[in-house]
Amino acid sequence: MPASQIECRPPTPVVKHGHPNQMRLLVVEDEPDLLKGLTHALRRAGYAVDTAADGEDGLHKAQTTDYDAIVLDVMLPRLDGWEVLARLRESKHTPVLLLTARDRSADRVRGFDTGADDYLIKPFDLPELLARLRALIRRSAGQARACLQLRDVRIDPAARSVTCAGKTVR
């Protein structure tokens, strides 16, 4: 087959559910309206999203599924977010953003010392949350730049675009 007829595709990541090219997130939040709104917003931003409404379910999902990042509330029923994070860090290095109303400096320090990669205080701005998630995922993939590049394939998560050899991929 001539090179001009070869379709250039980025490598397909292995995922268990959802569209294979979507970044996969877990949101652990016990407030139903916030969980629903956040899930909807993240899906509109192009993420595949799993949810959990308590710490036990969140920990189980986080330990049994590979996620690109986890958004974790601290004040959860059944198992609080501190304990979820501590137990998760025993076996996994998935990036975790703590999303909580706990705004004291001591709480933020505890979060980072327990293994959080980022900490965002409620109420929050959605564009900031999305930017922080993109940065977490970039850093965990070893990328300092906003765009990911592999040979002639360039992925811009913020613009939700892909180019191959300078041409837009639909």
Side-chain angles (χ1 to χ4, degrees):
M1 178 182 285
S4 63
Q5 292 180 341
I6 296 174
E7 186 173 329
C8 186
R9 293 185 184 176
T12 303
V14 176
V15 295
K16 294 181 183 175
H17 309 291
H19 191 277
N21 292 325
Q22 286 181 309
M23 292 290 172
R24 189 151 185 212
L25 304 178
L26 172 63
V27 178
V28 187
E29 169 63 57
D30 65 322
E31 204 291 307
D33 290 338
L34 178 57
L35 180 61
K36 181 179 178 183
L38 190 53
T39 300
H40 178 73
L42 291 168
R43 287 180 177 152
R44 286 191 59 193
Y47 294 100
V49 181
D50 290 342
T51 63
D54 66 69
E56 277 186 8
D57 188 34
L59 180 61
H60 173 74
K61 287 179 178 179
Q63 288 177 326
T64 59
T65 304
D66 290 329
Y67 291 100
D68 294 290
I70 298 171
V71 177
L72 177 64
D73 187 11
V74 170
M75 296 179 285
L76 294 167
R78 301 181 77 187
L79 195 63
D80 70 31
W82 306 119
E83 187 64 22
V84 170
L85 182 57
R87 290 188 192 181
L88 180 65
R89 286 298 177 242
E90 292 172 5
S91 60
K92 287 207 168 188
H93 301 286
T94 307
V96 174
L97 182 147
L98 290 178
L99 181 63
T100 179
R102 299 187 67 127
D103 62 355
R104 295 184 0 216
S105 174
D107 293 321
R108 291 190 300 272
V109 169
R110 181 179 179 189
F112 287 120
D113 285 347
T114 304
D117 298 281
D118 204 352
Y119 195 106
L120 188 59
I121 298 167
K122 297 174 188 174
F124 60 94
D125 291 320
L126 183 61
E128 181 180 2
L129 174 69
L130 294 172
R132 286 173 180 264
L133 285 171
R134 288 190 303 268
L136 278 178
I137 292 168
R138 271 196 320 268
R139 284 194 304 267
S140 73
Q143 300 288 326
R145 301 176 306 223
C147 295
L148 306 173
Q149 183 128 10
L150 179 62
R151 295 189 184 96
D152 57 349
V153 176
R154 180 180 172 92
I155 302 169
D156 185 342
R160 296 178 67 190
S161 67
V162 177
T163 59
C164 183
K167 296 180 182 173
T168 301
V169 177
R170 292 184 350 153

